[in-house]
Amino acid sequence: MVVGYFISCWLFLCLHPVHSAPQPKPTNIILVIGDGMGLAHIAIAEYLHKPPSPLQRMDVIGLQKTHSSSHLETDSGASGTAISCGVKTFNAAIGVDKDSIPVKTIMEMARDAGLKTGFVVTSSVTHATPAAFYAHVGSRGSYEDIAKQLSYSEIDVFVGGGQKYFTDRYSDSKNLLKSLEQSNYEVIRFGDAPSKFKLNKIDKEKKIACFTAYEDPRRATEGRNYLPSMVSETIDALQKRSEKGFFLMVEGSQVDWAAHANDQEWLALEMQDTYDMLEVILDKVDSTSNTLIIVTADHECGYISIQ
């Protein structure tokens, strides 16, 4: 297993190797993003977590600049695009460069190379960070357009909220859940029986669209706790479908939202949820799996400080 803790992205790693000795290319890549997660946010989790923390178990650390092409203060659209596409763009942009020209994402590259692909988030599946890995729009708020692009993205497994953008649409009368089913997806709707969320039991010939909320998923302070278990289920589902390997993006989305709200309890629980998910990944991915794990943040949020 190749393990790295990066405040960076895999593109930076490929362009600037940390080790002089040749390293085997990973078969699988798991990219974990703590949205809005700065060093102070990490410190909160480090103080609360029993050592050794997931980050202390990792081998390498790096840094990146996440500012957009238009502002020193980036947003999740521009920073997500920088991570997924390797280019700077303007705030609110998704999967396009600073001239609004679509740029191929790492998830699309992985798909075209024959790898299986997936993502798990605690936001809507159409939110800025996940969208930056499969969509190409000038505004992160174009949720219905982003949902349409997700419905034909051929991503093998995706998990998150936002079912409404596929069913109750203002821009057209399409039911994109039916479109997904017609494209060989097993669609798990919000409100389905818990047994349906066992992704590993689904026929491996099927892709999986799993909705955890009608709009945004609940806060961790309201009892939301699916991130660790669904990441485990998704890894199993991708491995079951994979011959060449897989690319998985996981986002602790609501770290950002809690920081925006200046809600310390919410933030602490979101960071705990993220750490629990990282523990699952590190325990699940053994030394023979040839998996590169990258942990990063897209930007820092909330002016959080440690006194």
Side-chain angles (χ1 to χ4, degrees), residues 186-206:
E186 182 77 21
V187 176
I188 302 170
R189 292 165 170 79
F190 174 62
D192 280 349
S195 59
K196 293 202 70 174
F197 289 79
K198 298 297 182 182
L199 307 189
N200 200 33
K201 294 183 178 180
I202 295 171
D203 185 339
K204 69 177 183 179
E205 301 303 319
K206 290 268 193 179

PDB file of all heavy atoms in Angstrom, residues 186-206:
ATOM      1  N   GLU A 186     -28.558   0.502 -10.672  1.00  0.00           N
ATOM      2  CA  GLU A 186     -29.442   0.159  -9.561  1.00  0.00           C
ATOM      3  C   GLU A 186     -29.609   1.443  -8.762  1.00  0.00           C
ATOM      4  O   GLU A 186     -28.637   1.957  -8.187  1.00  0.00           O
ATOM      5  CB  GLU A 186     -28.814  -0.931  -8.689  1.00  0.00           C
ATOM      6  CG  GLU A 186     -29.687  -1.375  -7.530  1.00  0.00           C
ATOM      7  CD  GLU A 186     -30.812  -2.299  -7.959  1.00  0.00           C
ATOM      8  OE1 GLU A 186     -30.718  -2.918  -9.045  1.00  0.00           O
ATOM      9  OE2 GLU A 186     -31.793  -2.400  -7.201  1.00  0.00           O
ATOM     10  N   VAL A 187     -30.821   1.970  -8.719  1.00  0.00           N
ATOM     11  CA  VAL A 187     -31.077   3.244  -8.046  1.00  0.00           C
ATOM     12  C   VAL A 187     -31.646   2.970  -6.662  1.00  0.00           C
ATOM     13  O   VAL A 187     -32.687   2.311  -6.513  1.00  0.00           O
ATOM     14  CB  VAL A 187     -32.040   4.123  -8.861  1.00  0.00           C
ATOM     15  CG1 VAL A 187     -32.359   5.411  -8.088  1.00  0.00           C
ATOM     16  CG2 VAL A 187     -31.438   4.465 -10.225  1.00  0.00           C
ATOM     17  N   ILE A 188     -30.945   3.456  -5.647  1.00  0.00           N
ATOM     18  CA  ILE A 188     -31.414   3.354  -4.265  1.00  0.00           C
ATOM     19  C   ILE A 188     -31.932   4.727  -3.876  1.00  0.00           C
ATOM     20  O   ILE A 188     -31.177   5.699  -3.824  1.00  0.00           O
ATOM     21  CB  ILE A 188     -30.281   2.914  -3.334  1.00  0.00           C
ATOM     22  CG1 ILE A 188     -29.711   1.575  -3.798  1.00  0.00           C
ATOM     23  CG2 ILE A 188     -30.779   2.813  -1.890  1.00  0.00           C
ATOM     24  CD1 ILE A 188     -28.438   1.179  -3.094  1.00  0.00           C
ATOM     25  N   ARG A 189     -33.215   4.819  -3.641  1.00  0.00           N
ATOM     26  CA  ARG A 189     -33.848   6.094  -3.362  1.00  0.00           C
ATOM     27  C   ARG A 189     -33.809   6.409  -1.868  1.00  0.00           C
ATOM     28  O   ARG A 189     -33.826   5.496  -1.031  1.00  0.00           O
ATOM     29  CB  ARG A 189     -35.296   6.092  -3.858  1.00  0.00           C
ATOM     30  CG  ARG A 189     -35.423   6.057  -5.378  1.00  0.00           C
ATOM     31  CD  ARG A 189     -36.829   5.689  -5.816  1.00  0.00           C
ATOM     32  NE  ARG A 189     -37.026   5.868  -7.246  1.00  0.00           N
ATOM     33  CZ  ARG A 189     -36.606   5.004  -8.181  1.00  0.00           C
ATOM     34  NH1 ARG A 189     -35.944   3.912  -7.814  1.00  0.00           N
ATOM     35  NH2 ARG A 189     -36.839   5.239  -9.456  1.00  0.00           N
ATOM     36  N   PHE A 190     -33.777   7.691  -1.556  1.00  0.00           N
ATOM     37  CA  PHE A 190     -33.891   8.110  -0.165  1.00  0.00           C
ATOM     38  C   PHE A 190     -35.220   7.602   0.391  1.00  0.00           C
ATOM     39  O   PHE A 190     -36.275   7.777  -0.218  1.00  0.00           O
ATOM     40  CB  PHE A 190     -33.825   9.634  -0.064  1.00  0.00           C
ATOM     41  CG  PHE A 190     -34.078  10.155   1.314  1.00  0.00           C
ATOM     42  CD1 PHE A 190     -33.232   9.823   2.361  1.00  0.00           C
ATOM     43  CD2 PHE A 190     -35.175  10.971   1.577  1.00  0.00           C
ATOM     44  CE1 PHE A 190     -33.460  10.296   3.641  1.00  0.00           C
ATOM     45  CE2 PHE A 190     -35.408  11.454   2.852  1.00  0.00           C
ATOM     46  CZ  PHE A 190     -34.552  11.110   3.888  1.00  0.00           C
ATOM     47  N   GLY A 191     -35.163   6.944   1.522  1.00  0.00           N
ATOM     48  CA  GLY A 191     -36.363   6.381   2.128  1.00  0.00           C
ATOM     49  C   GLY A 191     -36.543   4.903   1.871  1.00  0.00           C
ATOM     50  O   GLY A 191     -37.431   4.274   2.470  1.00  0.00           O
ATOM     51  N   ASP A 192     -35.708   4.315   0.996  1.00  0.00           N
ATOM     52  CA  ASP A 192     -35.762   2.870   0.787  1.00  0.00           C
ATOM     53  C   ASP A 192     -35.361   2.141   2.067  1.00  0.00           C
ATOM     54  O   ASP A 192     -34.705   2.704   2.945  1.00  0.00           O
ATOM     55  CB  ASP A 192     -34.833   2.453  -0.353  1.00  0.00           C
ATOM     56  CG  ASP A 192     -35.451   2.699  -1.731  1.00  0.00           C
ATOM     57  OD1 ASP A 192     -36.658   2.992  -1.797  1.00  0.00           O
ATOM     58  OD2 ASP A 192     -34.719   2.602  -2.738  1.00  0.00           O
ATOM     59  N   ALA A 193     -35.709   0.877   2.145  1.00  0.00           N
ATOM     60  CA  ALA A 193     -35.373   0.069   3.323  1.00  0.00           C
ATOM     61  C   ALA A 193     -33.854  -0.002   3.506  1.00  0.00           C
ATOM     62  O   ALA A 193     -33.107  -0.029   2.524  1.00  0.00           O
ATOM     63  CB  ALA A 193     -35.942  -1.334   3.163  1.00  0.00           C
ATOM     64  N   PRO A 194     -33.368  -0.024   4.757  1.00  0.00           N
ATOM     65  CA  PRO A 194     -31.921  -0.072   5.015  1.00  0.00           C
ATOM     66  C   PRO A 194     -31.210  -1.207   4.296  1.00  0.00           C
ATOM     67  O   PRO A 194     -30.043  -1.068   3.916  1.00  0.00           O
ATOM     68  CB  PRO A 194     -31.845  -0.245   6.539  1.00  0.00           C
ATOM     69  CG  PRO A 194     -33.117   0.353   7.051  1.00  0.00           C
ATOM     70  CD  PRO A 194     -34.146   0.069   6.003  1.00  0.00           C
ATOM     71  N   SER A 195     -31.885  -2.316   4.071  1.00  0.00           N
ATOM     72  CA  SER A 195     -31.254  -3.453   3.408  1.00  0.00           C
ATOM     73  C   SER A 195     -30.826  -3.125   1.978  1.00  0.00           C
ATOM     74  O   SER A 195     -29.897  -3.743   1.444  1.00  0.00           O
ATOM     75  CB  SER A 195     -32.208  -4.646   3.385  1.00  0.00           C
ATOM     76  OG  SER A 195     -33.412  -4.317   2.715  1.00  0.00           O
ATOM     77  N   LYS A 196     -31.488  -2.154   1.354  1.00  0.00           N
ATOM     78  CA  LYS A 196     -31.136  -1.797  -0.019  1.00  0.00           C
ATOM     79  C   LYS A 196     -29.813  -1.051  -0.101  1.00  0.00           C
ATOM     80  O   LYS A 196     -29.217  -0.939  -1.178  1.00  0.00           O
ATOM     81  CB  LYS A 196     -32.252  -0.954  -0.652  1.00  0.00           C
ATOM     82  CG  LYS A 196     -33.547  -1.702  -0.862  1.00  0.00           C
ATOM     83  CD  LYS A 196     -34.406  -1.050  -1.925  1.00  0.00           C
ATOM     84  CE  LYS A 196     -33.814  -1.206  -3.314  1.00  0.00           C
ATOM     85  NZ  LYS A 196     -34.694  -0.696  -4.372  1.00  0.00           N
ATOM     86  N   PHE A 197     -29.336  -0.522   1.036  1.00  0.00           N
ATOM     87  CA  PHE A 197     -28.094   0.238   1.042  1.00  0.00           C
ATOM     88  C   PHE A 197     -26.859  -0.664   1.188  1.00  0.00           C
ATOM     89  O   PHE A 197     -25.755  -0.158   1.332  1.00  0.00           O
ATOM     90  CB  PHE A 197     -28.127   1.289   2.154  1.00  0.00           C
ATOM     91  CG  PHE A 197     -29.077   2.426   1.867  1.00  0.00           C
ATOM     92  CD1 PHE A 197     -30.445   2.280   2.068  1.00  0.00           C
ATOM     93  CD2 PHE A 197     -28.607   3.632   1.368  1.00  0.00           C
ATOM     94  CE1 PHE A 197     -31.322   3.319   1.798  1.00  0.00           C
ATOM     95  CE2 PHE A 197     -29.474   4.677   1.090  1.00  0.00           C
ATOM     96  CZ  PHE A 197     -30.829   4.529   1.297  1.00  0.00           C
ATOM     97  N   LYS A 198     -27.036  -1.974   1.135  1.00  0.00           N
ATOM     98  CA  LYS A 198     -25.919  -2.924   1.139  1.00  0.00           C
ATOM     99  C   LYS A 198     -25.417  -3.065  -0.301  1.00  0.00           C
ATOM    100  O   LYS A 198     -25.846  -3.936  -1.058  1.00  0.00           O
ATOM    101  CB  LYS A 198     -26.363  -4.275   1.709  1.00  0.00           C
ATOM    102  CG  LYS A 198     -26.834  -4.208   3.157  1.00  0.00           C
ATOM    103  CD  LYS A 198     -25.696  -3.779   4.086  1.00  0.00           C
ATOM    104  CE  LYS A 198     -26.129  -3.761   5.535  1.00  0.00           C
ATOM    105  NZ  LYS A 198     -25.034  -3.293   6.432  1.00  0.00           N
ATOM    106  N   LEU A 199     -24.498  -2.182  -0.669  1.00  0.00           N
ATOM    107  CA  LEU A 199     -24.093  -2.080  -2.068  1.00  0.00           C
ATOM    108  C   LEU A 199     -23.410  -3.341  -2.569  1.00  0.00           C
ATOM    109  O   LEU A 199     -23.500  -3.669  -3.757  1.00  0.00           O
ATOM    110  CB  LEU A 199     -23.146  -0.878  -2.240  1.00  0.00           C
ATOM    111  CG  LEU A 199     -23.640   0.479  -1.728  1.00  0.00           C
ATOM    112  CD1 LEU A 199     -22.686   1.581  -2.168  1.00  0.00           C
ATOM    113  CD2 LEU A 199     -25.058   0.772  -2.178  1.00  0.00           C
ATOM    114  N   ASN A 200     -22.725  -4.051  -1.684  1.00  0.00           N
ATOM    115  CA  ASN A 200     -21.971  -5.219  -2.117  1.00  0.00           C
ATOM    116  C   ASN A 200     -22.881  -6.370  -2.545  1.00  0.00           C
ATOM    117  O   ASN A 200     -22.427  -7.316  -3.197  1.00  0.00           O
ATOM    118  CB  ASN A 200     -21.025  -5.689  -1.001  1.00  0.00           C
ATOM    119  CG  ASN A 200     -19.909  -6.563  -1.533  1.00  0.00           C
ATOM    120  OD1 ASN A 200     -19.440  -6.373  -2.656  1.00  0.00           O
ATOM    121  ND2 ASN A 200     -19.475  -7.521  -0.744  1.00  0.00           N
ATOM    122  N   LYS A 201     -24.165  -6.283  -2.188  1.00  0.00           N
ATOM    123  CA  LYS A 201     -25.106  -7.339  -2.565  1.00  0.00           C
ATOM    124  C   LYS A 201     -25.718  -7.107  -3.942  1.00  0.00           C
ATOM    125  O   LYS A 201     -26.435  -7.966  -4.456  1.00  0.00           O
ATOM    126  CB  LYS A 201     -26.216  -7.445  -1.512  1.00  0.00           C
ATOM    127  CG  LYS A 201     -25.718  -7.916  -0.148  1.00  0.00           C
ATOM    128  CD  LYS A 201     -26.862  -8.072   0.824  1.00  0.00           C
ATOM    129  CE  LYS A 201     -26.368  -8.597   2.172  1.00  0.00           C
ATOM    130  NZ  LYS A 201     -27.478  -8.757   3.147  1.00  0.00           N
ATOM    131  N   ILE A 202     -25.438  -5.962  -4.536  1.00  0.00           N
ATOM    132  CA  ILE A 202     -26.012  -5.624  -5.837  1.00  0.00           C
ATOM    133  C   ILE A 202     -25.223  -6.306  -6.945  1.00  0.00           C
ATOM    134  O   ILE A 202     -23.990  -6.385  -6.887  1.00  0.00           O
ATOM    135  CB  ILE A 202     -26.033  -4.097  -6.023  1.00  0.00           C
ATOM    136  CG1 ILE A 202     -26.974  -3.457  -4.990  1.00  0.00           C
ATOM    137  CG2 ILE A 202     -26.455  -3.702  -7.430  1.00  0.00           C
ATOM    138  CD1 ILE A 202     -26.902  -1.944  -4.934  1.00  0.00           C
ATOM    139  N   ASP A 203     -25.912  -6.794  -7.943  1.00  0.00           N
ATOM    140  CA  ASP A 203     -25.296  -7.459  -9.099  1.00  0.00           C
ATOM    141  C   ASP A 203     -24.145  -6.606  -9.630  1.00  0.00           C
ATOM    142  O   ASP A 203     -24.312  -5.423  -9.910  1.00  0.00           O
ATOM    143  CB  ASP A 203     -26.360  -7.631 -10.181  1.00  0.00           C
ATOM    144  CG  ASP A 203     -25.871  -8.419 -11.386  1.00  0.00           C
ATOM    145  OD1 ASP A 203     -24.641  -8.508 -11.595  1.00  0.00           O
ATOM    146  OD2 ASP A 203     -26.726  -8.914 -12.143  1.00  0.00           O
ATOM    147  N   LYS A 204     -22.964  -7.218  -9.790  1.00  0.00           N
ATOM    148  CA  LYS A 204     -21.787  -6.463 -10.199  1.00  0.00           C
ATOM    149  C   LYS A 204     -21.891  -5.927 -11.622  1.00  0.00           C
ATOM    150  O   LYS A 204     -21.093  -5.084 -12.033  1.00  0.00           O
ATOM    151  CB  LYS A 204     -20.529  -7.308 -10.044  1.00  0.00           C
ATOM    152  CG  LYS A 204     -20.410  -8.469 -11.016  1.00  0.00           C
ATOM    153  CD  LYS A 204     -19.080  -9.182 -10.815  1.00  0.00           C
ATOM    154  CE  LYS A 204     -18.901 -10.303 -11.822  1.00  0.00           C
ATOM    155  NZ  LYS A 204     -17.584 -10.973 -11.644  1.00  0.00           N
ATOM    156  N   GLU A 205     -22.862  -6.429 -12.391  1.00  0.00           N
ATOM    157  CA  GLU A 205     -23.070  -5.896 -13.742  1.00  0.00           C
ATOM    158  C   GLU A 205     -23.801  -4.553 -13.704  1.00  0.00           C
ATOM    159  O   GLU A 205     -23.873  -3.860 -14.714  1.00  0.00           O
ATOM    160  CB  GLU A 205     -23.876  -6.892 -14.580  1.00  0.00           C
ATOM    161  CG  GLU A 205     -23.216  -8.259 -14.729  1.00  0.00           C
ATOM    162  CD  GLU A 205     -21.815  -8.164 -15.327  1.00  0.00           C
ATOM    163  OE1 GLU A 205     -21.624  -7.375 -16.265  1.00  0.00           O
ATOM    164  OE2 GLU A 205     -20.924  -8.876 -14.834  1.00  0.00           O
ATOM    165  N   LYS A 206     -24.325  -4.197 -12.542  1.00  0.00           N
ATOM    166  CA  LYS A 206     -25.069  -2.943 -12.391  1.00  0.00           C
ATOM    167  C   LYS A 206     -24.179  -1.841 -11.843  1.00  0.00           C
ATOM    168  O   LYS A 206     -23.337  -2.073 -10.966  1.00  0.00           O
ATOM    169  CB  LYS A 206     -26.242  -3.156 -11.420  1.00  0.00           C
ATOM    170  CG  LYS A 206     -27.350  -4.030 -11.949  1.00  0.00           C
ATOM    171  CD  LYS A 206     -28.401  -3.182 -12.628  1.00  0.00           C
ATOM    172  CE  LYS A 206     -29.670  -3.966 -12.883  1.00  0.00           C
ATOM    173  NZ  LYS A 206     -30.702  -3.116 -13.526  1.00  0.00           N
TER     174      LYS A 206
END
